[in-house]
Amino acid sequence: MLTTIHPKLPMRDKSVTKEYYINRLGFEQQGGEYDDYLMIKKDNIEIHFFLFKELDTRENYGQVYIRTNDIDALYQSLLDNHVAIHPYGQLDTRPWGQREFALLDPDSNLLTFGQSV
């Protein structure tokens, strides 16, 4: 029945979003080139973005939870690439049995990465 999910998040500026996800997080662009839409992919994760120029980042509640099978290596690779980790989202083992960390993209979409412990 259900096989995959591709969350859609808002972006204010496609070039800024593209640079962040491709050059900082290691994603690749998918599909064609569209003025108001962006599709990116890394491993089995695909995220879509739609243009929302009037987005108030203080009121953006876009969020995705991404599972990984090597949270420590992923975390270190982002630190090595100088990606800012959310101030309250440092890598830690949570009471619900997940080792997690989080970051905010340029539009304040929250990306949480987790691995079962």
Side-chain angles (χ1 to χ4, degrees), residues 11 13-19 22 28-40 49:
M11 65 179 171
D13 183 322
K14 182 180 172 184
S15 64
V16 170
T17 300
K18 190 174 178 180
E19 190 282 327
I22 292 173
E28 296 178 353
Q29 186 169 347
Q30 291 294 111
E33 189 67 43
Y34 308 99
D35 291 339
D36 299 344
Y37 205 78
L38 174 65
M39 296 177 282
I40 55 154
F49 297 89

Side-chain angles (χ1 to χ4, degrees), residues 17-64:
T17 300
K18 190 174 178 180
E19 190 282 327
Y20 181 79
Y21 280 88
I22 292 173
N23 296 333
R24 305 293 304 279
L25 301 186
F27 282 78
E28 296 178 353
Q29 186 169 347
Q30 291 294 111
E33 189 67 43
Y34 308 99
D35 291 339
D36 299 344
Y37 205 78
L38 174 65
M39 296 177 282
I40 55 154
K41 184 174 184 175
K42 182 174 182 177
D43 301 324
N44 294 320
I45 302 302
E46 188 171 323
I47 305 173
H48 295 199
F49 297 89
F50 60 93
L51 189 62
F52 184 10
K53 289 183 181 182
E54 299 79 25
L55 177 68
D56 182 345
T57 58
R58 296 168 300 174
E59 296 179 3
N60 182 13
Y61 298 102
Q63 301 180 39
V64 292

